[in-house]
Amino acid sequence: MKKTLTITALCICASMTIIGCSSKEPVSSETKTTASNEQTSEKITDTETETGTEAVSSEEVSSDNETESPSDMPLQNNPTSASIPAEAGSMLEIAHALALCESDMETSYSSTDKTFFWNATAYLIAGYGMQSAAANIDEEGNLSLPSSTVKEYASAIFSDFNGNSDSLPEIPENVTAISYDETSDSYSVGAGGFSSTKVNTYECTSNGDETYTLGLELEVNDETDSEKLGKWKMTISPSTYNGSGHPLFNYTVTAFNKAD
């Protein structure tokens, strides 16, 4: 890995308040999180979500006191600006982890690449693993989760990974950010803190089919430095994962691509 997550300090990420977003009003979201691995060192600070909401309404047109016929109405699957659903707020945590992973590793989102699969999962666990009731921290500062919980995290990152039935792939030898303990059937990453970057959500589009596409921007979290580290478009859809009674992620990522 290009950078190394070092053990710094464990901090439980603060709850994010998601108000909404639109295609015309820039919005920002900041999340406070913890994350590290053995090779990469990054920091994420408290992130506040400020969103501008743009109300989108269907206008009924009438002529001679008659309502417009259904065939003349706008198609239901037309993309429109929208607010991020409240239950999808935790997906910004995944967006931050994926953006950092891609930036650090100089790689691209892929569910079929086992190296990316495990590095991305390691980032998310290191940053947000403490949100799970099953999380455990040892004396050396390593955070571990049982494989059943790791499936939940992986299911949120990759829509084509079915955490209800699929087995987690083996960790490639070139991935050192996460390790597996067969005795306890658990995965472990180094627990630490990110505080140098933040994610801004500048756009949210409803695709009319229960999916949403978010415009995201990763930048340095410094009042004196507004360096932009990259832009992405992330599409999410409702998750079918039902392995836990209290899911942390109600949506899953179907696409995560660099944006112009």
Side-chain angles (χ1 to χ4, degrees):
M1 299 173 64
K2 183 178 178 182
K3 303 180 183 176
T4 303
L5 288 176
T6 57
I7 298 175
T8 54
L10 173 66
C11 52
I12 301 178
C13 56
S15 300
M16 296 186 305
T17 303
I18 306 303
I19 301 175
C21 62
S22 73
S23 59
K24 295 183 179 179
E25 296 267 344
V27 295
S28 66
S29 79
E30 300 180 18
T31 50
K32 182 178 180 182
T33 178
T34 62
S36 78
N37 57 46
E38 298 173 9
Q39 289 193 334
T40 307
S41 172
E42 290 289 345
K43 293 185 177 180
I44 302 173
T45 54
D46 291 345
T47 342
E48 297 176 346
T49 303
E50 294 181 1
T51 58
T53 3
E54 182 182 9
V56 177
S57 61
S58 301
E59 185 177 347
E60 293 187 358
V61 181
S62 61
S63 177
D64 297 330
N65 297 324
E66 292 184 3
T67 304
E68 188 179 54
S69 66
S71 62
D72 296 326
M73 297 295 287
L75 296 176
Q76 291 185 353
N77 63 352
N78 278 352
T80 59
S81 60
S83 298
I84 302 174
E87 65 272 17
S90 58
M91 296 306 291
L92 296 181
E93 302 170 358
I94 293 179
H96 204 157
L98 286 174
L100 284 172
C101 183
E102 284 200 5
S103 297
D104 293 343
M105 309 303 236
E106 296 183 349
T107 185
S108 298
Y109 176 89
S110 172
S111 60
T112 58
D113 182 346
K114 291 182 180 180
T115 296
F116 184 83
F117 181 100
W118 280 113
N119 280 326
T121 301
Y123 266 79
L124 184 59
I125 293 173
Y128 298 95
M130 281 301 296
Q131 291 187 356
S132 171
N136 180 65
I137 298 285
D138 64 20
E139 294 180 354
E140 297 179 352
N142 296 312
L143 188 158
S144 63
L145 291 175
S147 61
S148 58
T149 305
V150 173
K151 285 184 177 182
E152 177 178 1
Y153 280 66
S155 294
I157 303 172
F158 306 105
S159 62
D160 56 359
F161 175 78
N162 187 345
N164 298 315
S165 58
D166 292 347
S167 298
L168 291 165
E170 292 187 5
I171 301 174
E173 292 183 359
N174 64 332
V175 175
T176 59
I178 188 168
S179 60
Y180 175 66
D181 184 346
E182 185 175 0
T183 302
S184 61
D185 188 26
S186 63
Y187 291 82
S188 177
V189 301
F194 293 137
S195 63
S196 63
T197 61
K198 63 182 179 180
V199 167
N200 293 325
T201 306
Y202 61 86
E203 183 180 71
C204 178
T205 302
S206 171
N207 299 314
D209 56 359
E210 296 188 300
T211 70
Y212 294 83
T213 298
L214 310 180
L216 306 157
E217 186 173 61
L218 182 69
E219 66 179 52
V220 173
N221 188 25
D222 187 339
E223 293 181 357
T224 62
D225 185 354
S226 59
E227 180 185 357
K228 310 298 183 182
L229 303 177
K231 285 186 175 182
W232 288 263
K233 288 292 183 74
M234 179 177 75
T235 300
I236 60 175
S237 64
S239 175
T240 59
Y241 178 79
N242 56 16
S244 66
H246 303 283
L248 296 172
F249 309 101
N250 296 302
Y251 281 73
T252 181
V253 178
T254 62
F256 191 82
N257 302 304
K258 276 280 191 179
D260 295 332

